[in-house]
């Protein structure tokens, strides 16, 4: 029998993290451990209100699988037993970690990825603020090669924010993330202004429920689906709407489906950003494996925290290194 624990944790954010939907000062995560034969696998997830998730329900969903996991439920069985989302992510990643330890291998080997993971350059996120605040944040981060800035409701204020960030970090590549904040009629005018400012990618400009308006538009800046892209189901519809998808393990419900999503995206000529919620290195570690094949990497969650957990990922400026086995994998 396997032994399972699940608990909620709070990790203070350095300052505050603000997007178009609101602001927070702590990262609330749920951590699962699965122990067998003296070896323990771990997984971490972030319940996300945007997807109708909360801490209580996620913990309850995990506890509902305790008996099945204890009796040896496989990852394949888990995909059928639970819907994709944060709860399944924590369990799936814990099982990958445990299986690798029991086999005396590393997860990248078991996933047949072909090569050991390497260090990657991650984006660094600037929270939504006034143009002046974001310019100061950009100056402090101007040594970083890739910045991702959170925007608001479109229009002149957002353009002013991007102009300010560009002035503060003239050499950085820029990704903007509207978090569904723009109106459909704003997309093309905003895209042309952002192209002028050298923006490389626009993430989720309009609400997911309204994104059919993007079909066939001639945007001068590539568009990336985030809230519109979850797992394998629905990926076909994204072709013709977006150029990129943002793959996050809390949306795919774990590494198992994320690997399938990556393969499917390649077949459909969708490029990939690998992203994250604000969380600790334990949540980033499995995402580092799929990030090896991504066009953009946005795994800066731990950089936004006041402190990280033990055996944290190593960050050297914007270069993030694969996890040590003491952390995961």
């Amino acid at each position: 029998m396997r032994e399972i624990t699940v608990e909620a944790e709070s990790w203070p954010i350095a300052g505050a993290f603000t997007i178009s939907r609101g602001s927070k000062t702590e990262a609330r995560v749920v951590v699962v451990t699965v122990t067998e034969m003296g070896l323990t696998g771990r997984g971490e997830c972030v319940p996300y209100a945007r997807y109708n998730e909360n801490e209580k329900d996620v913990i309850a969903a995990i506890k509902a699988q305790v008996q099945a996991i204890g009796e040896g439920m496989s990852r394949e069985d888990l995909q059928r037993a639970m819907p994709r989302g944060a709860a399944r992510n924590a369990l799936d990643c814990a099982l990958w970690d445990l299986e690798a330890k029991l086999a005396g291998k590393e997860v990248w080997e078991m996933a047949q990825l072909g090569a050991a993971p390497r260090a990657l350059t991650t984006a660094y996120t600037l929270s939504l603020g006034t143009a002046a605040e974001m310019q100061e944040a950009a100056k402090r981060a101007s040594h970083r090669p890739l910045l991702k800035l959170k925007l608001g409701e479109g229009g002149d204020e957002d353009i002013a924010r991007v102009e300010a960030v560009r002035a503060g970090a003239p050499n950085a590549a820029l990704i903007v993330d509207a978090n569904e904040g723009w109106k459909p009629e704003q997309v093309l005018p905003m895209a042309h202004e952002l192209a002028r400012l050298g923006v490389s990618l626009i993430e989720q400009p309009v609400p997911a429920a309204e994104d059919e308006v993007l079909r066939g538009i001639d945007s001068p800046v590539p568009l990336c689906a985030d809230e519109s892209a979850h797992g394998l189901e629905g990926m076909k519809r994204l072709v013709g709407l977006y150029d990129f998808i943002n793959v996050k393990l809390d949306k795919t419900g774990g590494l198992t489906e994320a690997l399938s999503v990556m393969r499917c995206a390649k077949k459909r000529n969708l490029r990939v950003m690998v992203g994250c919620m604000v969380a600790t290195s334990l949540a980033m570690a499995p995402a580092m494996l799929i990030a090896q094949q991504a066009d953009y990497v946005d795994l800066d969650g731990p950089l936004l925290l006041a402190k990280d957990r033990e055996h944290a990922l190593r960050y050297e400026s914007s270069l993030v290194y694969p996890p040590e086995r003491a952390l995961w994998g």
Side-chain angles (χ1 to χ4, degrees):
M1 290 288 291
R2 295 166 171 167
E3 295 179 1
I4 302 157
T5 68
V6 54
E7 60 182 349
E9 297 178 350
S10 174
W11 295 83
I13 292 172
F17 183 73
T18 304
I19 66 174
S20 62
R21 284 190 289 269
S23 183
K24 60 182 182 178
T25 57
E26 64 175 349
R28 298 288 301 180
V29 306
V30 174
V31 176
V32 172
T33 68
V34 184
T35 300
E36 182 179 343
M37 296 176 62
L39 299 171
T40 298
R42 298 191 299 165
E44 177 180 313
C45 71
V46 179
Y48 199 43
R50 169 61 182 82
Y51 304 127
N52 300 312
E53 295 177 332
N54 61 62
E55 199 172 280
K56 180 181 177 181
D57 289 347
V58 164
I59 290 174
I62 292 169
K63 287 184 174 179
Q65 302 300 323
V66 164
Q67 181 174 347
I69 295 290
E71 293 174 352
M73 174 188 272
S74 68
R75 285 184 294 100
E76 291 72 21
D77 293 335
L78 181 66
Q79 308 308 302
R80 294 185 288 270
M82 297 183 74
R84 69 176 64 92
R88 195 179 78 184
N89 176 33
L91 277 171
D92 182 71
C93 291
L95 289 177
W96 272 107
D97 191 23
L98 177 63
E99 288 171 28
K101 288 173 177 172
L102 289 170
K105 296 183 178 180
E106 297 190 28
V107 171
W108 69 265
E109 296 176 285
M110 298 186 63
Q112 299 180 341
L113 297 182
R118 66 194 188 284
L120 301 168
T121 297
T122 179
Y124 180 79
T125 303
L126 305 182
S127 286
L128 176 66
T130 66
E133 289 168 343
M134 294 184 75
Q135 183 169 349
E136 284 304 308
K139 285 180 181 177
R140 293 192 296 270
S142 60
H143 61 287
R144 299 182 182 276
L146 179 61
L147 298 179
K148 175 174 170 175
L149 46 150
K150 297 290 187 176
L151 295 184
E153 297 179 352
D156 292 342
E157 287 189 5
D158 272 351
I159 296 301
R161 290 180 174 109
V162 181
E163 288 175 334
V165 169
R166 176 51 77 204
N171 298 317
L174 301 181
I175 296 169
V176 303
D177 185 0
N179 283 115
E180 305 180 281
W182 299 352
K183 295 180 175 63
E185 63 270 19
Q186 293 177 302
V187 176
L188 270 180
M190 288 291 295
H192 282 284
E193 286 296 300
L194 296 178
R196 173 180 65 83
L197 293 167
V199 169
S200 301
L201 190 67
I202 298 170
E203 193 175 345
Q204 197 66 45
V206 300
E210 301 175 19
D211 68 359
E212 191 62 31
V213 300
L214 302 177
R215 189 169 301 282
I217 73 167
D218 187 18
S219 174
V221 181
L223 304 179
C224 178
D226 183 1
E227 287 86 351
S228 291
H230 294 268
L232 283 171
E233 183 181 341
M235 282 190 67
K236 182 178 180 180
R237 190 189 75 86
L238 301 179
V239 177
L241 297 179
Y242 299 96
D243 308 286
F244 284 73
I245 61 170
N246 189 338
V247 179
K248 294 177 179 174
L249 299 191
D250 278 314
K251 294 190 302 177
T252 64
L255 178 60
T256 301
E257 185 159 340
L259 291 167
S260 298
V261 167
M262 294 291 289
R263 291 190 290 268
C264 183
K266 287 190 174 184
K267 290 179 181 177
R268 297 192 180 280
N269 293 318
L270 288 166
R271 301 177 72 186
V272 173
M273 170 192 285
V274 170
C276 66
M277 308 301 186
V278 183
T280 79
S281 284
L282 180 57
M284 306 301 122
M288 277 293 291
L289 299 188
I290 56 170
Q292 303 297 311
Q293 305 172 54
D295 300 281
Y296 287 107
V297 176
D298 179 24
L299 296 179
D300 64 341
L303 295 178
L304 306 176
L305 300 178
K307 65 175 183 177
D308 199 357
R309 66 176 69 248
E310 279 190 88
H311 308 295
L313 293 178
R314 176 160 60 104
Y315 287 86
E316 292 181 358
S317 185
S318 290
L319 198 65
V320 53
Y321 286 80
E324 298 177 1
R325 296 193 73 175
L327 175 67
W328 184 90

